[in-house]
Amino acid sequence: MNARTGSIAGGSSGEPARPAARRAPRDGGSSSTTLPDDDSRLWIAIAVAGGGALLATLAPLTGLTTPASAPGFASWPLTALIHLLPATLAALFAVRGRPGVAVGLLIASALVAPGRALADGVLLVDAASAVRPELIRLATLEPTGPGLGAVLLVVAHLAALSAGVIAYVGSRVDAGPSHGIAFGAVPGPGLDTGSSAASADSDDVERLSGIPDRAAPVQAGRRQGTAITALFVIVAACLGLAGAPFSSEDPYLLSKAVLDADGLVLGGWVAAFLGLVVSTLLATAARDTDGDRALGGLLGTALLVFALAAPSVAAGLFAAELKTTAGPVFALVAAFVLALLALRITPRPSSRTTAEGVDEVRLPGARRLRRAAGVPALLAGLALAGGAVLPGLAPTDRLTAAPVNHQAGLLVPAAVLLILFGVGLLVSVSSTVARPALVVGWLAAPMVAAVSLDVVFAANQLVGAGLGAGAWLVMAAVPLAGAGGFLAWTAGAVEREDVDLSEWPADLPSVIPAAMVALWALGAFALPVLESEELRPAGILSNFQIASWSQVLGLLGVVVAVALAPRSRPAQAAGLFLGAAALLLLRVLEYPLTSDRVADAAPGPGLWLGLCGVAVSAVGAGVVFRATRRSADPTPRD
């Protein structure tokens, strides 16, 4: 390692480290990452969050539409509780000397705030399309305009976002560099990583990547069960929230599942789901370094699931002509389980004190993180395989025969790819290459989900058929794959901290194939792979549909992969090329696996361009790996 052995709190090895002042907890809790005596930034964040909560509480009273529309039931007490509870708990924990918990609560709220702002922003654009009986319930088709309350509601979510940013930045600045890695942040270059030599059992691929595996704390392995459990719980909560919020007999209030929603509502729910998953991952990742922050993050995530599910359950119970569905109730149960997991966390300092008196936090090693990433990737692949086998629609009287979903054939190759990535990460000999491949390859799950669920949701909307087990498994695969990609990206961040990349040159042998793959991918995803006079397939440039997001995600994944490959180490560059090849292969397989939907299907230009991209990606992976293997220094730099 090059100048990377100093103390985490010291600017260099020649300067004495100065410990950051910390406030002692008043109730015996952990102070592993706390603010110093001058905790004004935290109180500013709490004030901003509290002000936003008050605005959200007042919003229904000032009128959300013009002319004003009453809610479907007496929902104001529930609305006030939902918005005031996180800020109130943050203030209580701060008063009791547990600022880490307060910061975790505020950051969790901030991660979901953009999604909630988008979902509520529909009141400013088209209130008639809002399925929010706890806020408004229209009884006419007459056009309505936004009221002051709609503006206050959006501003309240922006205030929650600002409060989380202030709390996070304040905790990093006030707590000093020795505590800046809490809540999942990547450690700085001064982190003591133990020995810089590669482990004795490192294979050639591991040595070529230049990654020394860091020693991991013993207690980190014992706590992985909580992290995996929390991940499963939050995925289950997202699945419950993704279904229809309630059943409705009101012709002016049509209940829709998330993927049936339009515009801002769809984008808002997707952003909220991502925020919930990220909040859970960051909170569980912080458990080994900051118990208070982990407690606040998990508790805040549970409160947010409650805030998203409780209004739908209450509407089904108390609003006329509405009935409760199982999805929101399932999400409430998941929120309760997540809260229990949060309360089971016993905050304890997991850092060790050096001779200078400075706490040094040790994070799990890169190898352990790669294995952790392989588990959700493997589960996502199994979920896609189950989605291909099980029915996507539940039986109903109006559905005499289930429609043939030719596009569901893409689930099988995507499942195989994710299973291979997951197994590759669990096996040490291939984990170094599989890790960057999964960073981009996880997009295979949302790509095939967007395509295969198009027919399912169309039938669901036309005949009211419920979603079958296959559709739920496909939807579950998306956050699982995303979790695997996030953990793989985190493992890469740890790897880069262990390797001196300041003098690592651009890999010239990979520049040419990277540029060629980018050009082939642009044509493969922008042009159709299937042409027919009877069918106009979804595309990016024309006929943009839900399935078009598959092409957008695939193109972005390939472009990012080939852009990073030339500046990556040999094994990592090979993995990025393989990930790009996987996404292009899914695009190519769309023709043979879905061509039965029309009689006159013919290959389109996107098919041939995609085949060229797959071939060049595979060749590029081999070329860059073999060419740089001879010239790159295979050992970690000292």
Side-chain angles (χ1 to χ4, degrees), residues 154-400:
V154 174
V155 172
H157 297 313
L158 297 180
L161 175 61
S162 302
V165 172
I166 295 172
Y168 176 70
V169 174
S171 66
R172 290 177 59 89
V173 172
D174 289 341
S178 63
H179 302 288
I181 66 171
F183 209 71
V186 178
L191 181 64
D192 180 14
T193 59
S195 173
S196 61
S199 59
D201 59 345
S202 296
D203 52 87
D204 290 339
V205 176
E206 184 85 8
R207 293 174 64 246
L208 184 61
S209 67
I211 304 169
D213 190 48
R214 309 199 251 195
V218 177
Q219 66 179 353
R222 295 197 298 263
R223 296 183 179 181
Q224 289 182 354
T226 301
I228 295 175
T229 303
L231 179 61
F232 275 110
V233 171
I234 199 62
V235 169
C238 292
L239 290 176
L241 293 170
F246 44 79
S247 61
S248 174
E249 299 177 359
D250 185 352
Y252 299 103
L253 184 62
L254 300 179
S255 178
K256 296 181 179 181
V258 168
L259 292 182
D260 288 332
D262 302 322
L264 290 177
V265 177
L266 175 61
W269 276 107
V270 171
F273 292 156
L274 291 176
L276 290 173
V277 173
V278 171
S279 178
T280 303
L281 290 173
L282 293 180
T284 53
R287 186 177 182 185
D288 287 327
T289 58
D290 187 349
D292 270 356
R293 191 73 65 87
L295 170 62
L298 284 180
L299 186 59
T301 306
L303 292 177
L304 289 166
V305 174
F306 173 78
L308 294 173
S312 298
V313 175
L317 293 175
F318 304 114
E321 298 182 306
L322 303 182
K323 295 181 180 179
T324 303
T325 54
V329 177
F330 191 63
L332 284 181
V333 175
F336 178 73
V337 174
L338 197 63
L340 291 180
L341 289 175
L343 296 178
R344 285 185 67 249
I345 294 179
T346 302
R348 67 185 67 178
S350 60
S351 57
R352 61 183 179 89
T353 304
T354 64
E356 294 85 356
V358 180
D359 289 339
E360 288 190 3
V361 182
R362 300 181 66 84
L363 294 181
R367 184 173 299 177
R368 184 185 296 274
L369 286 171
R370 292 197 295 270
R371 290 181 183 140
V375 174
L378 182 60
L379 293 176
L382 295 175
L384 289 179
V389 175
L390 299 176
L393 290 171
T396 179
D397 295 337
R398 298 180 60 187
L399 187 66
T400 57

